[in-house]
Amino acid sequence: LKAASEELRAKMLGQMSQRARDALKEEMEMMGPVRMRDVEAAQATVVAQVRKLEEAGEIVLSSGGDNDVLL
């Protein structure tokens, strides 16, 4: 999320509990600057995991609504 747009960051954090959101924000602040290739590698890992969850039927992805990811 460090290189994500404010809109995407807000959507992602909005889906988390307050405790998880606070922990993630604290961790991102402590990390400091991150190389773009490391960010892209982490993003690819997240996308791969989301696709795996979708294939397993554990999540349903939709597009265009207020809730883009349904659990």
Side-chain angles (χ1 to χ4, degrees):
L1 290 177
K2 286 190 71 99
S5 68
E6 278 299 318
E7 180 182 3
L8 177 58
R9 186 175 302 145
K11 279 190 173 193
M12 295 295 293
L13 294 174
Q15 298 298 316
M16 301 172 75
S17 69
Q18 184 66 46
R19 177 189 252 176
R21 185 174 33 244
D22 291 345
L24 181 58
K25 285 181 178 180
E26 183 178 331
E27 186 174 334
M28 287 192 313
E29 289 172 7
M30 291 174 54
M31 287 179 69
V34 180
R35 283 184 245 141
M36 193 51 133
R37 71 171 170 237
D38 293 338
V39 170
E40 290 168 347
Q43 288 173 341
T45 300
V46 170
V47 169
Q49 185 62 37
V50 168
R51 287 185 178 147
K52 188 176 179 181
L53 291 170
E54 183 182 31
E55 288 173 10
E58 295 185 40
I59 62 171
V60 176
L61 300 178
S62 66
S63 60
D66 286 339
N67 297 319
D68 289 334
V69 178
L70 304 174
L71 301 176

